Amino acid sequence: MTSGTDRDFASSGKSLDIYKRASTARILDLGFWGLTLSLALGGGAVLIWIILQTAIAGWPAMQLFGLRFLITASWDPVNNIYGVLPQIYGTLVTTAIALIVAIPVGIGTAVFLTEDFVPKFIRTPIAFAIELIVAIPSVVLGIWGIFVLIPTLRPFFRFLNSSLGWLPFFGGGAPRGNNLFLVGLVLALMITPVIASLTRSTFEVLPSELRQGSLALGATRWETIVRVMIPAGLSGIISSIMLAMGRAMGETMVAAMLVGNANRINASILQPGSTITGLIASQFGEAGRTQVAALMYAGVVLMILSLLVNIFAELIIRRYQNIER
Amino acid sequence: MGSIPDTTNDPSFEVPDLTSKAISGNRAIFGKVLTVISGICVALLIVPLSLLLINIFDKGLSRMTPELFTELPPPPGLTEGGIGHAIIGSVMTLAIGAAVSFPFGVLAAIYLAEFGRGTRIAYLVKFSANVLTGVPAILCGLFAYSVVVIPLGYFSAFSGGIALGVLMLPIVIRSTEESLLLVPLEMRQAAIGIGATRFQTIMKITLPAALPAIVTGLVLALARAAGEAAPLLFTAFNNSFWSTDPRGPIATLPVLIYFFSIIPYKAQQELAWAAALVLIVIVLISSLLGRMFIRSRRI
């Protein structure tokens, strides 16, 4: 029967075809694997590249000024003397003000949204609105700050200054509106949603036995929140605060537009100041060669500050997630 | 205070009062006070947000004319005009950023979710992407400045696009990876089971299944980058004229808002408000859509 040999031929041809396809498919597979792997490695390396590139660009200034850069309070393009002490001070003060406001408000909001104080059809839109704040571009908050917030808050700043001016951090001349306190408040508005939403998700993943046990022992709802939920979720809350802190330190436009960019250290938070980000944003446009290097050096300082905060937050989250599982 | 109910009919039977009235005065007041405080916390967030939105619509709507999108800003001292050049500039820098970061990020995420799940490399890449998300946006600008602007010697839309691309990259990687992880393992097993290769499985099964979620993530990344001014200040810089040249400086909406809000000309300030309104509408609509989509997907 010839048909048998025909079939043999056909099947052998087919199997050959399959082998052929399999080998090209394997090459394609390997190639794809290699491509995605190298891009994944590249994605991981971008962080290192950013750090290196900024450090290289700032290297001339690092050699020139060394660590004195951190304790010099002068930004003098004429004599080429640069230092970022006022900026470091301003960054830390505005971040601290933002955190002092944002931590209690954020945690309070998170509790309000987890507990059923109000019905769900009110809570859900509130939660939604709060998440929207995160999406608002900071430059929009900046223009709002300049034209609405400053005129609105100026009487309040003046009142603080005249009634509590004997306290060093409310002292100085009559506040004009651009100051560290204002920046701190706007930063607080930006980072409170971060703390609120992350703290809320921390509360949501806590085992419900914790809450039930506490309630069963006779604790009230608030005693349960204060003595059980918050301590149990503390690592999650701390990491949310760290992330918010990183956000506040790195925020540029709000600082550049509202801080007043005064290159001096004021004990009073009602006086204009400067932040690292504000300095870079406002000086870069007309910077000469050494000044660009100095600004890059300032960028490196900012990078180190924010990396420390971010890595710390990331490690807490990892540890915390491991406990959850 | 009335914690034991009247059970005179049967002295041997005492029903403990489990209602909130049984809680002593101090504890009840403590709870009430904290409830009020937490309500105030929410108000402290919601009130400024509503004020901000009201102000922006109030001040921006008057300039919402067709000219806003088609004309250049007026010279100082004159009125009228628009911000058309900045809209084009924003679209261009975003497109360049997307062209750089989308393929890069999606492919990297495919490795994380499909090949390298649970490996040390994947952990390190994810760690680095997470840290990169927290790196201040202005540092992406410094990076693009020293990588693109210094070697080329001029500010350009291209360098602005690179800065935005770096900014978007970690968001793209993370959101794409999460979208891919949502695809059930059984779909991959079924594909492998009928003889598909890994490449075919990913291209024909996993990616199409995750595509809507991936696109949502990409849109959210674009929305985030669209509002950033800091990385563009010294990469795309600014331009007062029409430009579609990727090798030259270009105006963008956020940078225009920044420059126009700090100069003392009324027409420019009005344009800045109008630009803020355009920007906030774009960003809010895209993030609303994105969040609604993510929410509907999870349920």
Side-chain angles (χ1 to χ4, degrees):
Chain A
M1 295 267 273
T2 49
S3 64
T5 47
D6 273 349
R7 210 178 290 145
D8 278 346
F9 268 114
S11 68
S12 74
K14 234 177 220 162
S15 70
L16 266 179
D17 190 39
I18 285 171
Y19 278 126
K20 215 169 164 187
R21 265 180 52 198
S23 70
T24 50
R26 201 178 303 143
I27 290 167
L28 201 60
D29 240 20
L30 265 178
F32 189 61
W33 174 80
L35 176 71
T36 55
L37 172 63
S38 51
L39 288 181
L41 289 174
V46 166
L47 178 67
I48 299 165
W49 192 13
I50 292 180
I51 298 170
L52 280 181
Q53 198 66 44
T54 321
I56 291 170
W59 184 241
M62 289 186 201
Q63 277 180 314
L64 206 56
F65 306 117
L67 288 176
R68 267 180 302 134
F69 189 68
L70 302 177
I71 49 164
T72 306
S74 143
W75 196 267
D76 186 355
V78 181
N79 297 313
N80 261 337
I81 299 169
Y82 301 106
V84 286
L85 187 62
Q87 284 73 29
I88 293 178
Y89 170 79
T91 301
L92 295 181
V93 169
T94 50
T95 305
I97 295 170
L99 286 177
I100 289 170
V101 177
I103 292 172
V105 176
I107 295 178
T109 307
V111 170
F112 189 84
L113 295 176
T114 344
E115 302 283 323
D116 44 355
F117 295 124
V118 291
K120 203 166 167 103
F121 68 90
I122 300 179
R123 261 185 299 148
T124 314
I126 291 180
F128 217 71
I130 287 173
E131 283 178 18
L132 281 187
I133 306 183
V134 181
I136 292 177
S138 60
V139 71
V140 173
L141 282 165
I143 184 177
W144 182 64
I146 290 179
F147 293 109
V148 179
L149 217 48
I150 288 183
T152 315
L153 288 180
R154 198 181 285 132
F156 169 68
F157 291 145
R158 293 242 158 100
F159 168 75
L160 273 184
N161 180 252
S162 57
S163 60
L164 294 168
W166 48 274
L167 287 168
F169 46 92
F170 289 138
R176 284 175 297 130
N178 286 42
N179 57 45
L180 297 169
F181 192 29
L182 174 74
V183 172
L185 290 179
V186 179
L187 290 179
L189 184 61
M190 297 184 76
I191 66 173
T192 306
V194 176
I195 297 180
S197 64
L198 289 175
T199 301
R200 184 176 166 223
S201 51
T202 303
F203 284 153
E204 273 165 6
V205 297
L206 284 179
S208 58
E209 288 84 359
L210 276 178
R211 162 193 295 271
Q212 288 160 3
S214 169
L215 291 174
L217 286 172
T220 63
R221 177 156 63 181
W222 272 102
E223 284 163 351
T224 306
I225 292 165
V226 174
R227 304 225 177 107
V228 179
M229 304 293 279
I230 291 181
L234 200 59
S235 58
I237 296 174
I238 291 176
S239 68
S240 80
I241 292 171
M242 300 301 287
L243 287 178
M245 187 175 161
R247 185 76 65 89
M249 285 195 321
E251 174 42 48
T252 306
M253 300 322 291
V254 164
M257 292 162 91
L258 301 177
V259 80
N261 291 315
N263 189 37
R264 57 177 179 270
I265 296 180
N266 265 312
S268 169
I269 57 171
L270 295 178
Q271 300 301 321
S274 180
T275 66
I276 301 179
T277 51
L279 173 87
I280 299 174
S282 60
Q283 298 285 321
F284 216 99
E286 58 250 36
R289 190 172 237 176
T290 317
Q291 198 179 349
V292 166
L295 288 170
M296 288 286 180
Y297 191 177
V300 173
V301 174
L302 177 67
M303 171 88 73
I304 292 170
L305 283 178
S306 82
L307 277 185
L308 287 179
V309 170
N310 275 303
I311 291 176
F312 191 55
E314 193 56 38
L315 291 176
I316 295 178
I317 293 175
R318 297 271 158 189
R319 219 194 91 204
Y320 169 73
Q321 279 177 343
N322 289 343
I323 292 170
E324 278 309 312
R325 280 170 201 155
Chain B
M1 277 181 255
S3 62
I4 298 168
D6 186 31
T7 50
T8 41
N9 295 344
D10 185 0
S12 68
F13 184 70
E14 281 185 11
V15 179
D17 184 359
L18 294 174
T19 61
S20 57
K21 280 179 194 153
I23 294 162
S24 77
N26 281 343
R27 294 169 71 196
I29 291 170
F30 172 73
K32 289 250 161 58
V33 168
L34 285 181
T35 307
V36 170
I37 290 178
S38 77
I40 293 174
C41 288
V42 176
L44 283 177
L45 263 181
I46 293 297
V47 169
L49 174 71
S50 341
L51 279 179
L52 171 78
L53 292 178
I54 291 170
N55 289 147
I56 287 180
F57 276 89
D58 179 37
K59 303 203 180 209
L61 270 183
S62 61
R63 293 300 293 260
M64 276 297 137
T65 51
E67 293 83 57
L68 184 77
F69 301 94
T70 56
E71 285 182 15
L72 283 175
L78 299 179
T79 52
E80 303 303 315
I83 51 170
H85 67 314
I87 293 174
I88 289 184
S90 269
V91 170
M92 267 185 67
T93 47
L94 282 172
I96 294 168
V100 175
S101 66
F102 284 5
F104 193 139
V106 170
L107 286 171
I110 287 177
Y111 179 82
L112 298 182
E114 303 294 326
F115 295 114
R117 220 185 265 197
T119 62
R120 195 158 186 83
I121 292 174
Y123 171 81
L124 287 175
V125 172
K126 264 188 268 184
F127 184 87
S128 154
N130 281 349
V131 175
L132 197 57
T133 324
V135 164
I138 194 168
L139 290 174
C140 298
L142 287 184
F143 169 73
Y145 178 85
S146 59
V147 170
V148 186
V149 177
I150 291 181
L152 292 182
Y154 46 80
F155 295 114
S156 62
F158 177 68
S159 60
I162 297 288
L164 293 185
V166 172
L167 192 82
M168 285 190 267
L169 184 64
I171 311 175
V172 173
I173 292 181
R174 290 181 45 179
S175 66
T176 307
E177 194 212 352
E178 274 165 31
S179 318
L180 288 172
L181 290 180
L182 285 178
V183 178
L185 209 57
E186 288 79 8
M187 286 177 73
R188 299 186 181 90
Q189 289 167 343
I192 302 278
I194 59 169
T197 62
R198 294 294 285 270
F199 180 71
Q200 288 166 333
T201 310
I202 292 164
M203 282 300 168
K204 301 229 168 100
I205 306 293
T206 327
L207 271 185
L211 196 63
I214 293 177
V215 170
T216 311
L218 298 183
V219 170
L220 287 178
L222 272 179
R224 161 95 202 278
E228 286 289 351
L232 296 172
L233 281 177
F234 29 82
T235 50
F237 198 58
N238 198 8
N239 194 335
S240 313
F241 305 101
W242 294 105
S243 170
T244 48
D245 181 9
R247 287 164 305 169
I250 205 165
T252 52
L253 282 176
V255 175
L256 177 133
I257 297 174
Y258 173 57
F259 281 127
F260 278 9
S261 64
I262 56 176
I263 58 170
Y265 295 108
K266 201 156 176 22
Q268 267 73 1
Q269 291 174 0
E270 283 174 9
L271 285 177
W273 279 106
L277 178 57
V278 171
L279 200 56
I280 214 164
V281 165
I282 293 172
V283 169
L284 286 189
I285 286 179
S286 50
S287 75
L288 262 174
L289 288 179
R291 277 175 205 287
M292 265 153 55
F293 180 81
I294 289 170
R295 207 156 284 198
S296 67
R297 189 98 185 145
R298 284 209 181 121
I299 292 166

